[in-house]
């Protein structure tokens, strides 16, 4: 099974991360050279990825937002929960509880990458999986995220606690704003659904 990643940033970050099986890179014919495109081509050549020039209409059929590039890749490389728990240090773990909007998931993955999170835990059901739309919304940061998809979120949270991770929940009505909360030490932050 393959899928198409699109937009220059998402394609570049996938090539930089080197975590997915990549089948081919499509580039729109006649695309003016830009620094990011030169980097994409250089990374593809270095990794010996087949490249094809193609009509813009072909890329537009993949996504109207393709920006002249598309990368055919294998499925997102989820990690196991144990891989996240094995990481040490005080970097946070992000737990996404029934987030269904791919753009919200992408934004949170981008934030997790920016703060150096140990990993992201996503429920297998009733949550948006990491799809090309999520990768696009994350500006490619999802390609660097260590994300585990779990069947039972409550058990995953119990496993976090058992491994010495403090668990906090974001709540719009909480008496303590997040910027005043003591979040030192290993901790996980649960972000609930959009509703």
């Amino acid at each position: 099974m393959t899928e198409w990643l699109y937009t220059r940033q998402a394609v570049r970050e996938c090539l930089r991360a080197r975590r997915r099986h990549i089948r081919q890179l499509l580039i729109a014919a006649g695309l003016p050279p830009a620094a990011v495109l030169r980097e994409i081509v250089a990374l593809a050549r270095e990794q010996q990825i087949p490249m094809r020039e193609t009509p813009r209409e072909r890329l537009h059929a993949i996504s109207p937002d393709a920006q002249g590039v598309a990368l055919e890749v294998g499925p997102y490389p989820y990690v196991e929960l144990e891989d996240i728990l094995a990481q040490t240090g005080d970097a946070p773990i992000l737990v996404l509880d029934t987030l269904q909007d791919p753009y919200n998931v992408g934004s949170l993955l981008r934030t997790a990458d920016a703060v150096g999170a140990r990993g992201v835990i996503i429920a297998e059901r009733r949550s948006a999986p990491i799809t090309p739309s999520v990768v696009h919304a994350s500006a490619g940061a999802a390609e660097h995220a260590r994300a585990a998809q779990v069947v039972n979120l409550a058990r995953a949270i119990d496993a976090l606690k058992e491994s010495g991770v403090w668990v906090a929940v974001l709540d719009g009505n909480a008496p303590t704003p997040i910027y005043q909360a003591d979040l030192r030490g290993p901790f996980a932050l649960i972000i609930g659904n959009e509703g």
Side-chain angles (χ1 to χ4, degrees):
M1 184 174 105
T2 63
E3 57 191 22
W4 288 97
L5 295 184
Y6 52 90
T7 73
R8 295 172 188 190
Q9 189 68 15
V11 166
R12 176 174 60 180
E13 293 311 312
C14 181
L15 292 166
R16 282 179 174 173
R18 297 173 187 248
R19 293 177 58 208
R20 291 203 201 212
H21 172 72
I22 301 172
R23 294 197 58 202
Q24 66 177 320
L25 170 66
L26 300 182
I27 300 176
L31 201 60
V36 68
L37 289 174
R38 286 192 298 275
E39 184 178 356
I40 287 169
V41 168
L43 286 165
R45 281 189 181 134
E46 178 184 314
Q47 296 172 46
Q48 300 178 343
I49 295 166
M51 290 182 279
R52 285 195 220 158
E53 253 189 34
T54 189
R56 286 181 187 257
E57 296 76 30
R58 168 82 168 101
L59 292 166
H60 191 75
I62 292 170
S63 171
D65 300 322
Q67 298 176 343
V69 294
L71 196 61
E72 188 178 11
V73 297
Y76 183 80
Y78 288 101
V79 299
E80 297 297 323
L81 176 62
E82 292 74 24
D83 296 327
I84 293 173
L85 294 175
Q87 299 296 308
T88 58
D90 292 344
I93 297 170
L94 192 60
V95 179
L96 306 183
D97 183 10
T98 60
L99 287 170
Q100 297 176 341
D101 184 328
Y103 290 95
N104 288 343
V105 174
S107 294
L108 289 166
L109 288 172
R110 186 172 62 243
T111 301
D113 183 55
V115 300
R118 286 168 50 183
V120 179
I121 300 170
I122 301 171
E124 192 174 289
R125 294 191 181 110
R126 298 183 309 274
S127 292
I130 301 177
T131 62
S133 294
V134 170
V135 175
H136 167 65
S138 76
E143 292 300 310
H144 301 282
R146 297 170 49 82
Q149 202 175 36
V150 298
V151 173
N152 188 314
L153 202 54
R155 278 194 220 132
I157 292 167
D158 287 343
L160 290 170
K161 291 176 185 177
E162 289 169 13
S163 70
V165 175
W166 287 92
V167 178
V169 179
L170 282 184
D171 181 347
N173 299 317
T176 305
I178 190 169
Y179 300 108
Q180 295 174 1
D182 183 1
L183 298 175
R184 290 176 289 179
F187 75 94
L189 189 59
I190 301 173
I191 300 176
N193 71 26
E194 294 91 352

